[in-house]
Amino acid sequence: MGSLPTESLSVEEHQQQQVEMDDTSRTERARWLLNSPDPPSIWHELAGSIREAFFPRNKLSSSSRVKQTWRRSAFSFLRGLFPILNWGRNYKASKFKSDLMAGLTLASLSIPQSIGYANLAKLDPQYGLYTSVIPPLIYALMGSSREIAIGPVAVVSMLLSALMQNVQDPAADPVAYRKLVFTVTFFAGVFQSVFGLFRLGFLVDFLSHAAIVGFMAGAAIVIGLQQLKGLLGISHFTNKTDVVSVLGSVFSSLHHSLHNLTIPSLLCDFLAVLVSSEFRPRLFLPYLPLNCKVYLYLTKADKHGVKIVKHIKGGLNPSSAHQLQLTGPHLGQTAKIGLISAVVALTVREAIAVGRSFASIKGYHLDGNKEMVAMGFMNIAGSLTSCYVATGSFSRTAVNFSAGCQTVVSNIVMAITVLLSLELFTSLLYYTPIAILASIILSALPGLIDINEAINIYKVDKLDFLACIGAFLGVLFASVEIGLLAAVTISFAKILLNAVRPGIELQGRLPRTDTYGDISQFPMAIKTPGILTIRINSALFCFANANFIRERIMRWVTEEQDELEETTKRTIQAVIIDMSNLMNIDTSGILVLEELHKKLASNGIELVMASPRWQVIHKLKSAKLLDRIGKGCVYLSVAEAMEACLASKFAALSNC
C-alpha cells in the first residue's frame, strides 16, 4: 500500500516531462520561422526576372552555371532571346512541307484581311501588308509559339483609329497621322518589352476575362457597323464609333447612296456578301472575288459609283525611323495610346491567350513573359519599317493550326508570300472592291462575340457580369476609351472591394483531424472554449483593410466573451490568428497587430500568430514587433498554437 503514492508521483513526473518535451519541440519548430533568412530584395527579384527572360531555366538552376565559359554564357543568352536556335537544329524537311502549305494558306487569308484592317485603321492599304511582313519575321526568331499567326487585327486597328483621330485627323493630314501611328507602335513595343523583361504581365490582367468578353463583343458590333460604309458605298461617314452616331450616319446617307448605286455596284455588294457568308479560308481565297474583279474591269464600274482599292504601293517595307515623333506636343498622347494599344493587343484574345490555348493542345509550355518580349521587339522593329501595331490573330491562328503548321516557319512563309505579292502582284489588287474587304472583315467578327460565355459569367459571378456589361455598353454607346475605362474601373472596384472587406472566418477543429476550417462552411467543426481561432483570407494585410480586420476581430472577441460568461462563467484566454493565407503586410497592418495585442492584453487575453509567411515574419522582425509582444507568440501551425494555448490554460488552472 505504501508504494502507491510513489507510483502516482512517477506518472505525474512522466506527464510533466512529456509536456516539457512537447513545449521544447514546439519552441524549436517556432524558431524555424523566427530564424528564417531574409527574403530576396525587390532589386534581386527584378534582376532574376531579366535573367529568366533571356536564359533557359535549366541553365539557371544548374549547379554548373557558375563554371560556364563566356562563350557558353553568350550562347545561352542567344538561345533565351531567340528560341529558334533551340528547335531549328532539329528542323526536318517533313515539317517544312506542312509549314509551307500552312504558310501559303495563311497568306491567302492575310492579304485581303491586312488590306481591310489597314482601311479600318485609316491607313493606306500597303501598310496593312507591310505589317504582315516584318513583325511575323521578328516573331519567328524570338517567339516560342508554334501556331500563332502574327499581323494586324480588327480590334487593335479600330482602337488606333478611334484614339488617334482625336489627336490628328487622318483626312486632313494623312502624313502626320501616319507618323503618329508609327510612334504609337514604337511605344506599344517598348511597353510590351518592359512588361516581359520585368515580369509585369500581371498589369495586363487588370482587364479581367469578363471585361474582355464584353469589350470584344462591343468592339465587334462597332466594327461591323462601320463596314456599312464600304458595303453601301457611303462617301461621307462619321468619325465617331458609337452605335448611335454610326447608325445615324448610315440612315442619313442611305438614300443618297442608293440613288448613285448602279447595277454593277449592287452586284458587287451581293457577291461580297455571298463570299463573306459562304467561304471558308482556303489557299484560293484571293481568287474568289476574281469574277467580280473581271466584271469591274470590263464594265469600268468604278466610274459609276463602285469604290475599289485602286493603286497599292508595292516594294519592300520602307524605313520609317525618321518619321517617329519622339518630341513635340503629341508625345504624351502617343505614349498613352501606345500603352493602351500594348495592353489591348496582349489581352483581347489576340495574343498570349491564343498561343497558350494552342500550345496546350500540342502539349508544350508557353512562357507569357518571353512572349511579351518577342511581341514588344517585333512592334519596335515594325515601327521602324512602316508597320503599325501587330499581334497574334485569333482567326488566322485557327487557320494556321487547321492547315497543319508544325512550327513558326509558317509565319516566315506567310511573310515571304506577302512580300512577293507587294513586289509583283499589287496591280492584281487594283480592282478589288471595298465592299469585299468590308465583307472579309465582317466574316471574322462573329468569332469575337461569345454569348455563351457571357451567360456563363452571369451564372458564376454577378460582379464579373457587371464588368462585362459595362465594357460592352461603354464601347457600344460611348467610345472605345469609355468602354476600356468602364472595364478597368469595374475590375478595380471588385479588387478594392475584396481588399477592403477581406474574408475573415472563425475556425474550429474538424473531427478526428488536426485541420481547422471555417465553422460556417463546416458545421461539424469543434470550437475550443476560451480560445478563439481566426483566419484572415487575404493576400495582403494593409492600410486598405487593417481597420476592418481589427474591428471584426474585436467584435468577435466581445461576442465570444459575452457568450462564455453567460454559459460557463469563463473568459477568453487566447486569440489565435491564422496567417497562412497572408502573403505580405505593411506598416498599417503591423500597427493594427500591435493595437490588438495591447487591447487583448489589457483584458488578460493572449494574442497568438500561426503560420506567418516569409515576407510577413520578415516585416514583423524588421518592425521589432516580436520583440515588443514576445517571440513566444509565434507558432508554425494552428494545431501547435492550439496545443500551446491549451497547455498554458491547463497550467494556469492547476496553479489555481
Side-chain angles (χ1 to χ4, degrees), residues 447-466:
L448 303 180
I449 303 175
D450 197 340
I451 297 176
N452 291 331
E453 184 61 21
I455 294 173
N456 184 59
I457 291 170
Y458 176 77
K459 293 178 180 178
V460 174
D461 193 321
K462 301 302 185 290
L463 282 177
D464 268 356
F465 184 73
L466 184 61

Side-chain angles (χ1 to χ4, degrees), residues 355-369:
R356 281 177 173 165
S357 299
F358 287 98
S360 63
I361 295 174
K362 288 292 187 70
Y364 67 94
H365 173 69
L366 204 63
D367 189 331
N369 290 294

Side-chain angles (χ1 to χ4, degrees), residues 47-227:
S49 298
I50 296 175
R51 284 197 302 269
E52 286 186 22
F54 292 112
F55 290 90
R57 292 188 177 184
N58 59 340
K59 293 296 183 183
L60 288 173
S61 60
S62 172
S63 60
S64 63
R65 178 174 59 87
V66 181
K67 301 178 182 179
Q68 286 181 337
T69 61
W70 179 88
R71 184 175 298 176
R72 290 184 63 190
S73 298
F75 184 67
S76 178
F77 170 80
L78 291 176
R79 286 176 61 190
L81 186 60
F82 302 107
I84 194 172
L85 297 176
N86 293 322
W87 57 266
R89 294 176 297 175
N90 302 320
Y91 190 73
K92 299 178 181 178
S94 58
K95 291 184 178 181
F96 179 71
K97 182 179 178 181
S98 299
D99 287 335
L100 177 63
M101 294 305 298
L104 293 175
T105 305
L106 202 55
S108 71
L109 178 61
S110 296
I111 290 172
Q113 275 194 349
S114 298
I115 296 173
Y117 292 154
N119 182 55
L120 189 61
K122 302 293 192 299
L123 294 169
D124 293 335
Q126 64 267 20
Y127 294 103
L129 296 174
Y130 293 156
T131 308
S132 293
V133 176
I134 297 300
L137 291 176
I138 300 297
Y139 182 84
L141 297 176
M142 302 185 65
S144 52
S145 172
R146 303 170 193 170
E147 295 82 20
I148 196 168
I150 298 298
V153 296
V155 172
V156 176
S157 301
M158 190 268 290
L159 178 73
L160 278 176
S161 64
L163 297 178
M164 287 301 301
Q165 65 188 7
N166 297 326
V167 181
Q168 177 66 56
D169 186 358
D173 193 345
V175 175
Y177 175 81
R178 186 170 63 245
K179 290 180 179 180
L180 291 179
V181 168
F182 294 154
T183 307
V184 166
T185 303
F186 175 79
F187 280 118
V190 169
F191 283 120
Q192 288 173 335
S193 301
V194 170
F195 290 161
L197 287 173
F198 294 101
R199 308 185 76 81
L200 301 176
F202 66 90
L203 295 175
V204 177
D205 295 332
F206 281 122
L207 274 178
S208 65
H209 170 69
I212 293 168
V213 171
F215 175 80
M216 292 291 286
I221 294 175
V222 168
I223 292 171
L225 290 174
Q226 289 184 333
Q227 300 317 301

Side-chain angles (χ1 to χ4, degrees), residues 555-621:
R555 190 180 73 186
W556 276 340
V557 168
T558 303
E559 291 174 354
E560 186 73 12
Q561 185 84 344
D562 294 341
E563 184 179 344
L564 278 175
E565 290 178 352
E566 289 179 3
T567 56
T568 62
K569 305 300 182 182
R570 296 179 181 176
T571 59
I572 297 178
Q573 279 78 41
V575 173
I576 301 174
I577 299 180
D578 181 1
M579 296 183 169
S580 57
N581 291 336
L582 202 61
M583 302 302 298
N584 212 330
I585 189 171
D586 69 357
T587 53
S588 298
I590 293 172
L591 288 174
V592 164
L593 282 179
E594 188 168 7
E595 289 179 18
L596 279 173
H597 166 70
K598 292 179 180 178
K599 287 185 178 180
L600 294 175
S602 64
N603 294 318
I605 303 173
E606 183 181 7
L607 177 65
V608 178
M609 291 174 281
S611 304
R613 306 297 289 267
W614 199 6
Q615 290 284 354
V616 175
I617 196 68
H618 171 68
K619 296 282 184 69
L620 296 180
K621 290 192 297 183

Side-chain angles (χ1 to χ4, degrees), residues 223-542:
I223 292 171
L225 290 174
Q226 289 184 333
Q227 300 317 301
L228 294 176
K229 175 184 178 182
L231 284 174
L232 300 176
I234 299 174
S235 300
H236 303 287
F237 201 73
T238 179
N239 289 328
K240 297 181 180 179
T241 59
D242 63 283
V243 64
V244 176
S245 299
V246 172
L247 288 178
S249 180
V250 170
F251 288 131
S252 63
S253 305
L254 193 58
H255 174 73
H256 184 266
S257 299
L258 288 176
H259 179 72
N260 286 311
L261 282 175
T262 61
I263 296 298
S265 178
L266 289 173
L267 179 60
C268 289
D269 288 347
F270 171 76
L271 290 175
V273 174
L274 183 64
V275 167
S276 69
S277 60
E278 295 296 332
F279 81 85
R280 292 294 181 269
R282 292 292 186 269
L283 182 60
F284 50 83
L285 177 62
Y287 309 102
L288 282 175
L290 182 60
N291 292 334
C292 186
K293 290 182 181 180
V294 172
Y295 179 78
L296 287 172
Y297 174 75
L298 294 176
T299 61
K300 304 298 180 181
D302 58 304
K303 300 184 184 300
H304 301 282
V306 178
K307 295 183 180 299
I308 60 175
V309 171
K310 295 185 179 180
H311 178 67
I312 297 179
K313 185 179 179 180
L316 298 174
N317 290 40
S319 172
S320 58
H322 61 285
Q323 299 186 48
L324 297 183
Q325 305 293 302
L326 299 180
T327 58
H330 300 308
L331 180 62
Q333 291 173 297
T334 53
K336 181 188 72 172
I337 297 173
L339 175 60
I340 295 173
S341 301
V343 172
V344 172
L346 291 173
T347 305
V348 289
R349 279 181 53 191
E350 300 286 355
I352 296 173
V354 177
R356 281 177 173 165
S357 299
F358 287 98
S360 63
I361 295 174
K362 288 292 187 70
Y364 67 94
H365 173 69
L366 204 63
D367 189 331
N369 290 294
K370 287 186 178 180
E371 287 294 287
M372 282 189 249
V373 172
M375 291 187 180
F377 274 87
M378 80 180 186
N379 277 316
I380 292 174
S383 70
L384 304 176
T385 52
S386 301
C387 305
Y388 71 96
V389 181
T391 186
S393 166
F394 183 79
S395 60
R396 291 197 293 276
T397 300
V399 171
N400 195 30
F401 179 80
S402 301
C405 75
Q406 296 296 315
T407 67
V408 76
V409 169
S410 61
N411 271 277
I412 299 177
V413 173
M414 178 202 69
I416 293 174
T417 305
V418 175
L419 183 60
L420 290 175
S421 299
L422 278 166
E423 285 284 356
L424 306 174
F425 305 122
T426 53
S427 59
L428 298 179
L429 300 171
Y430 185 92
Y431 281 99
T432 302
I434 298 296
I436 283 184
L437 298 179
S439 299
I440 291 173
I441 294 175
L442 285 171
S443 69
L445 298 182
L448 303 180
I449 303 175
D450 197 340
I451 297 176
N452 291 331
E453 184 61 21
I455 294 173
N456 184 59
I457 291 170
Y458 176 77
K459 293 178 180 178
V460 174
D461 193 321
K462 301 302 185 290
L463 282 177
D464 268 356
F465 184 73
L466 184 61
C468 178
I469 289 296
F472 175 76
L473 296 178
V475 173
L476 202 60
F477 291 102
S479 64
V480 175
E481 304 100 303
I482 298 299
L484 286 172
L485 182 62
V488 173
T489 301
I490 296 173
S491 299
F492 262 110
K494 182 180 177 182
I495 294 172
L496 289 175
L497 182 63
N498 290 330
V500 173
R501 299 180 65 86
I504 306 176
E505 60 188 41
L506 282 173
Q507 290 185 298
R509 184 177 59 82
L510 301 182
R512 298 178 297 279
T513 71
D514 288 332
T515 303
Y516 287 78
D518 185 3
I519 59 175
S520 298
Q521 181 181 1
F522 303 101
M524 75 292 297
I526 304 168
K527 292 173 61 177
T528 303
I531 300 176
L532 203 61
T533 306
I534 299 171
R535 178 160 60 196
I536 302 174
N537 287 327
S538 174
L540 185 61
F541 192 176
C542 64

